[in-house]
Amino acid sequence: MELDVEVAIVGGGPTGLMLAAELALAGVEVCVLERREAPVRESRALTMHPRSLEVLALRGLEAPFLERGRPLPTGHFGLLDTRLDFSGLDTTFRYTLFLPQALTEALLAEHARGLGVDIRRGHVVESLHEDEEGVVLAGSVQGTAFRCRARYAVGADGARSVVRQLAGIGFPGTDSTRTSMLGDVTLEHPPSTPFLALTNARGNAVIVPLGQGQYRAIVTDARRERTSPREPLSLEELRESLTRVAGSDFGMKEPRWLSRFGDETRLAEHYRRGRVLLAGDAAHMHYPAGGQGLNVGLQDAMNLGWKLAAVLREGAPPTLLDSYHQERHPVGQSLLSNTQAQSALMGFTPEVLALRELMNGLLRLPAINQRLAEQLGGLDVAFAGAPIPAPSPSTLPGWTGRRLPDWTLRLADGGQRSLYSGLHDGHWLWLHATPAAAPSSDWEPAPGWRPRVNALALETSADTAALRGVDGLLVRPDGHVAWAWTASFPRIPRRVIRLC
């Protein structure tokens, strides 16, 4: 079997599907090679964070997710008793969304297929060869060999990524020092509180309702925390440990899924090596504290998607892809630091228990609580530099790389619309409040690169309070600012502008 596409994505989880949809939206021919024959029924992740909901809203995709999910106005940091408060965050989505990963994956697959993405299940990649023109992936599907040639290949195939290994990309970090147990079960006598979380000298336990009478029980037993993550977990062991830590097994029975997981922590040395790129868990592995893995993976996909599409469809130089590593690798480092800090707070020694009491008090301070809520929710991510140089000395400081909320914009024609609605098609968005800042003449970020740009004329920058003092704003397809400026600005050609 022979395939020939522009981009081959290995891994059909949420990260791979989101990236595939982003590329297909730009008209890129893409296929997804997934080793599993059928979608995974178990849901490792259960939560979508505010920034991930913004990522969906940037493409107008949030509605079906919101319809099926359950908003939770608070979250936890290291299972501390003082909850993180999302109600004051600068976003439309002041909550996390409780939504099983299996459903998230199904919705993303439906979206991707609607854009023409070729999703091929049962395809096991076994070799990778790169040359000057592209990448060749080879493997087997139901005992038959296949070969796929692509201009670029992306590994979105999880923490044990075959693509990462075949590309020779290092994955340094630390081995597991603690393991936890997980069971999706039925409880005859569930806790009286909808979300049970406790930590004591015997360990910690979390019980979360999944719906339809199912509960997820996560237990770290101080007596068994050194057990290998590869050792099978039995219902009896989980019941015994939950009873030891929480005083009851709550009538646990009928296990649907039993598993162990550890706190192994690793980060890929490179998110890009030549024509091979990594995204999601293939690039970062960590303890699942705060449910951040899936969310950071979706945000990796959004960052990579518009850049890869620009190279393949707009004439952008391949060096633009270097900015993917430059921007997202530090995010991966912050993710590992955050999850390691939370993992440390989940310890059981007298010293850690004392630290937890101290942190519970600090989280009652609004500024500290909000800072950690922004970090957990992915709203604190900004990029220090632009992936393309600013062509004007009038560029305003403090804007480049900043994430924008979904502001309501007052337009020159007297109407109003949301900022994100101007980004639904994956193009750049040019906002201008003065004629001098309106796009009309030639501009190229790099020779031969003609970005697809939508333009919106604002009534005045003063009428949109957040833009006061800004005459023009160029927003990247991922909702981060490229530049803001005052007065005149080099203009871009009308033929690449779409007035929306």
Side-chain angles (χ1 to χ4, degrees):
M1 182 187 303
E2 296 280 338
L3 299 173
D4 195 339
V5 294
E6 291 180 289
V7 179
I9 299 172
V10 182
T15 298
L17 293 170
M18 185 71 196
L19 176 59
E22 281 294 285
L23 293 169
L25 184 65
V28 175
E29 186 182 10
V30 57
C31 74
V32 175
L33 305 174
E34 167 56 48
R35 66 179 178 84
R36 294 184 175 91
E37 295 282 353
V40 176
R41 187 178 68 168
E42 299 84 11
S43 295
R44 295 184 180 277
L46 297 173
T47 307
M48 296 194 78
H49 290 162
R51 181 54 185 169
S52 295
L53 296 172
E54 287 186 343
V55 163
L56 296 173
L58 285 165
R59 300 296 180 261
L61 302 176
E62 73 279 19
F65 294 83
L66 297 178
E67 288 170 4
R68 291 163 175 79
R70 176 160 51 94
L72 301 175
T74 65
H76 78 83
F77 187 88
L79 294 182
L80 292 170
D81 296 332
T82 306
R83 303 279 290 176
L84 297 180
D85 181 7
F86 297 113
S87 64
L89 297 179
D90 185 19
T91 176
T92 305
F93 308 103
R94 299 183 179 92
Y95 48 82
T96 61
L97 190 71
F98 186 87
L99 187 70
Q101 179 177 334
L103 185 51
T104 296
E105 188 172 313
L107 291 171
L108 289 172
E110 180 182 0
H111 170 59
R113 286 194 179 97
L115 291 170
V117 173
D118 183 11
I119 302 174
R120 295 177 175 249
R121 291 195 167 275
H123 284 61
V124 180
V125 172
E126 298 166 346
S127 69
L128 179 154
H129 173 72
E130 180 181 353
D131 57 35
E132 293 183 0
E133 300 298 324
V135 179
V136 176
L137 300 169
S140 61
V141 51
Q142 296 181 341
T144 301
F146 77 86
R147 183 176 181 274
C148 177
R149 181 167 185 84
R151 291 180 63 184
Y152 290 91
V154 181
D157 50 340
R160 307 302 176 190
S161 171
V162 170
V163 172
R164 186 188 64 239
Q165 295 174 43
L166 292 173
I169 298 174
F171 202 40
T174 59
D175 294 330
S176 286
T177 60
R178 178 192 301 159
T179 58
S180 302
M181 296 169 272
L182 177 153
D184 287 349
V185 297
T186 299
L187 300 181
E188 285 189 300
H189 312 292
S192 56
T193 58
F195 179 87
L196 173 70
L198 57 88
T199 298
N200 53 44
R202 297 178 295 278
N204 58 51
V206 176
I207 297 179
V208 182
L210 300 176
Q212 299 180 333
Q214 288 280 311
Y215 291 81
R216 172 159 296 177
I218 301 174
V219 184
T220 308
D221 185 339
R223 294 185 184 181
R224 295 172 171 169
E225 63 173 331
R226 303 298 180 187
T227 305
S228 168
R230 295 177 179 83
E231 184 172 319
L233 174 65
S234 68
L235 178 63
E236 285 307 310
E237 182 183 354
L238 182 61
R239 292 178 62 179
E240 289 174 6
S241 290
L242 181 58
T243 301
R244 183 178 299 113
V245 174
S248 172
D249 70 358
F250 303 98
M252 182 184 295
K253 62 180 183 178
E254 299 172 354
R256 185 179 177 187
W257 181 35
L258 296 171
S259 180
R260 288 186 213 270
F261 59 91
D263 61 352
E264 184 176 355
T265 300
R266 300 185 183 279
L267 182 66
E269 290 181 329
H270 307 284
Y271 280 25
R272 179 199 181 194
R273 172 165 285 174
R275 292 180 175 271
V276 178
L277 302 110
L278 303 176
D281 290 348
H284 36 75
M285 181 182 187
H286 53 88
Y287 190 71
Q292 297 176 82
L294 179 150
N295 292 275
V296 175
L298 292 178
Q299 294 153 38
D300 287 344
M302 175 64 81
N303 188 285
L304 176 57
W306 73 265
K307 294 172 180 176
L308 197 48
V311 170
L312 293 170
R313 281 290 175 271
E314 299 176 356
T319 52
L320 176 65
L321 298 176
D322 293 335
S323 70
Y324 171 61
H325 172 88
Q326 292 160 4
E327 292 185 343
R328 296 304 298 178
H329 191 266
V331 174
Q333 289 176 320
S334 295
L335 169 66
L336 268 56
S337 177
N338 177 285
T339 52
Q340 286 175 321
Q342 291 196 63
S343 178
L345 283 170
M346 295 180 192
F348 332 110
T349 65
E351 294 83 1
V352 173
L353 294 175
L355 177 61
R356 289 177 61 84
E357 284 303 306
L358 176 65
M359 286 296 299
N360 275 320
L362 290 175
L363 279 186
R364 296 187 189 102
L365 300 174
I368 294 176
N369 194 297
Q370 179 169 327
R371 176 68 179 273
L372 289 180
E374 288 174 344
Q375 189 178 92
L376 187 74
L379 301 178
D380 67 330
V381 175
F383 306 123
I388 48 181
S392 171
S394 60
T395 300
L396 295 171
W399 283 89
T400 294
R402 174 178 164 185
R403 166 205 142 259
L404 295 183
D406 193 12
W407 291 325
T408 298
L409 304 174
R410 297 183 60 178
L411 307 181
D413 63 7
Q416 291 186 347
R417 69 182 293 179
S418 72
L419 188 151
Y420 286 7
S421 68
L423 294 160
H424 284 179
D425 56 10
H427 297 181
W428 297 67
L429 179 60
W430 191 298
L431 305 176
H432 58 95
T434 64
S440 63
S441 61
D442 286 344
W443 167 68
E444 295 180 348
W449 180 8
R450 298 293 177 86
R452 297 168 297 181
V453 184
N454 296 328
L456 285 176
L458 304 181
E459 188 169 329
T460 68
S461 61
D463 290 318
T464 300
L467 293 173
R468 187 169 289 115
V470 176
D471 292 325
L473 191 72
L474 183 61
V475 186
R476 300 167 13 161
D478 59 4
H480 287 263
V481 176
W483 318 292
W485 64 91
T486 59
S488 61
F489 191 80
R491 299 178 178 180
I492 66 179
R494 286 190 184 277
R495 63 186 176 85
V496 300
I497 292 291
R498 194 176 118 191
L499 298 176
C500 61

